[in-house]
Amino acid sequence: EPEVTQTPSHQVTQMGQEVILRCVPISNHLYFYWYRQILGQKVEFLVSFYNNEISEKSEIFDDQFSVERPDGSNFTLKIRSTKLEDSAMYFCASSYRVRSGNTIYFGEGSWLTVV
Amino acid sequence: KQEVTQIPAALSVPEGENLVLNCSFTDSAIYNLQWFRQDPGKGLTSLLLIQSSQREQTSGRLNASLDKSSGRSTLYIAASQPGDSATYLCAVRNAGGTSYGKLTFGQGTILTVHP
């Protein structure tokens, strides 16, 4: 079964460093998302991306965050200058469309630890 | 603002029991509702998606129902097995506006099925 793949599975970074999390969405999907889950908290929406632009973002997704689809297969989340509170599991997700019958599929996550 | 709540927060049952997990949401204007399973430190596996026009969906031993007007969904697991032990998450996608697939998650129900 097709799946969303994410790399790295775990990254430790120093506060203030830039981090890029990578994702390969399911190949025929058109909509891409990033979510995050701080330990012990709910999964939270960060951003959705369609047709090479951001279609919606949450208040969490400030100027420190950016997303990019650099080629036909990868989808990346960049955090410019990491803070301790950015430590979380980051999930990439994709869907074929956004109609009511379309499932959103999630990857295994990238666990980011900022020290 | 949509809020999703899941009850109970944790549930421990002996193998073979039938069980019900509950999810409630505050804004009934939704496109769909998805139930996910999350194993510790892992990604989100989609179990069932119910569209707003549907009342229930079934997959194997799982049955999910939706009562949109009252803002409730239940996930019924028949003949539970130790392999069902995981956190079960409910997520809704709001209708209208410029929502491009943003999901709002509950905090999850931690299920333990003991032999």
Side-chain angles (χ1 to χ4, degrees), chain A residues 95 100 102-106, chain B residues 6 23 30 32-36 45-50 64 73 89-93 101 103-105:
Chain A
S95 65
S100 62
N102 288 121
T103 299
I104 296 177
Y105 293 91
F106 283 73
Chain B
Q6 293 185 244
C23 171
I30 65 170
N32 61 41
L33 183 146
Q34 273 185 258
W35 281 94
F36 293 89
T45 301
S46 181
L47 298 172
L48 288 164
L49 178 146
I50 311 179
S73 176
L89 300 172
C90 160
V92 299
R93 183 156 88 78
L103 295 176
T104 302
F105 281 82

Side-chain angles (χ1 to χ4, degrees), chain B residues 8-90:
Chain B
L11 184 62
S12 180
V13 299
E15 182 177 4
E17 272 205 8
N18 302 324
L19 52 100
V20 174
L21 308 181
N22 296 290
C23 171
S24 61
F25 46 95
T26 54
D27 183 350
S28 62
I30 65 170
Y31 268 139
N32 61 41
L33 183 146
Q34 273 185 258
W35 281 94
F36 293 89
R37 170 186 171 133
Q38 184 177 29
D39 291 290
K42 299 290 188 182
L44 309 178
T45 301
S46 181
L47 298 172
L48 288 164
L49 178 146
I50 311 179
Q51 297 180 58
S52 62
S53 58
Q54 297 174 325
R55 297 284 294 184
E56 65 179 276
Q57 280 286 340
T58 298
S59 175
R61 293 182 295 109
L62 305 179
N63 175 277
S65 67
L66 175 64
D67 184 343
K68 197 171 77 123
S69 59
S70 68
R72 291 180 186 171
S73 176
T74 60
L75 178 68
Y76 175 83
I77 303 177
S80 57
Q81 303 169 358
D84 294 331
S85 298
T87 298
Y88 289 81
L89 300 172
C90 160

Side-chain angles (χ1 to χ4, degrees), chain A residues 33 35 37 42 98 100, chain B residues 4 32 38 51 93 100 103:
Chain A
Y33 317 90
Y35 286 76
Q37 186 178 32
K42 292 183 179 184
V98 291
S100 62
Chain B
V4 180
N32 61 41
Q38 184 177 29
Q51 297 180 58
R93 183 156 88 78
Y100 283 82
L103 295 176

